Amino acid sequence: NVCSAQANRQTLEVTNWGPAAFGIQLSIAVTNKVIVAGSMLTLSAHIKNTSTNFIYIVMNNPMTDYSAFLATDSGKVIRLTPKRVTSEEGDPPIRRNFARTLNPGDVYACSVPISITNAIEHGSYKLKSTRNILIPNNSDENKNKLCELVSNLLDVQIK
């Protein structure tokens, strides 16, 4: 998982964003929309802060910070990434917890490796991702707001 924060640069050329939540948006892209079952997919994720306030992108576990899903037209949803382990369910396999600040106008970019198993049926799907962020409460840090971002939808084929 390779991530970086960048100042607002047009060179990113990201134009397809998910719905805004508190002025923050998530976009995903893939280099190939025809994916072979049994292969790895690299998801390019971007978080854009168009609000007037900074936000926190909390890093817990590189394998579960982003969730990725495939959905069929009939409504079947397939989770592609491991579910994040909570402290009630046991210790996560990688323990870390730090926040990266994303200032107004900045974009955070990350490449997320995802396994497309042979168990996934061939066909047409919508690919989407989610990612949690923290909206800071400047008067009381114990009242920071956890917010789930939802990406744009990508049409993909599994072969």
Side-chain angles (χ1 to χ4, degrees):
N1 156 327
V2 178
C3 302
S4 67
Q6 301 177 350
N8 188 12
R9 298 181 190 157
Q10 296 303 328
T11 56
L12 293 174
E13 297 180 28
V14 178
T15 57
N16 195 3
W17 296 93
F22 301 97
I24 317 302
Q25 290 177 283
L26 173 61
S27 174
I28 59 169
V30 292
T31 55
N32 189 354
K33 293 186 179 182
V34 178
I35 305 158
V36 176
S39 68
M40 291 296 292
L41 168 71
T42 300
L43 186 72
S44 297
H46 294 84
I47 298 174
K48 175 173 65 171
N49 184 355
T50 61
S51 75
T52 56
N53 302 307
F54 69 91
I55 63 159
Y56 295 125
I57 301 172
V58 178
M59 318 289 203
N60 290 303
N61 180 337
M63 300 309 292
T64 58
D65 286 342
Y66 289 85
S67 296
F69 306 90
L70 290 174
T72 64
D73 287 339
S74 65
K76 179 181 177 185
V77 176
I78 302 165
R79 185 181 191 93
L80 299 175
T81 50
K83 185 178 177 191
R84 186 169 169 194
V85 177
T86 64
S87 58
E88 294 82 30
E89 297 167 335
D91 289 333
I94 299 174
R95 296 173 69 154
R96 67 180 191 160
N97 190 13
F98 64 92
R100 169 175 238 136
T101 301
L102 190 64
N103 290 310
D106 283 357
V107 173
Y108 175 78
C110 193
S111 295
V112 183
I114 297 172
S115 176
I116 305 297
T117 69
N118 286 318
I120 298 173
E121 293 180 25
H122 296 192
S124 298
Y125 294 90
K126 299 271 189 210
L127 175 65
K128 84 168 186 179
S129 181
T130 60
R131 174 69 159 90
N132 288 335
I133 59 166
L134 274 180
I135 308 294
N137 181 323
N138 293 328
S139 60
D140 184 351
E141 68 180 30
N142 292 317
K143 294 183 180 177
N144 290 341
K145 181 173 179 63
L146 184 65
C147 176
E148 183 181 68
L149 299 177
V150 177
S151 74
N152 53 306
L153 297 176
L154 294 178
D155 290 316
V156 296
Q157 293 280 324
I158 305 296
K159 299 277 184 184

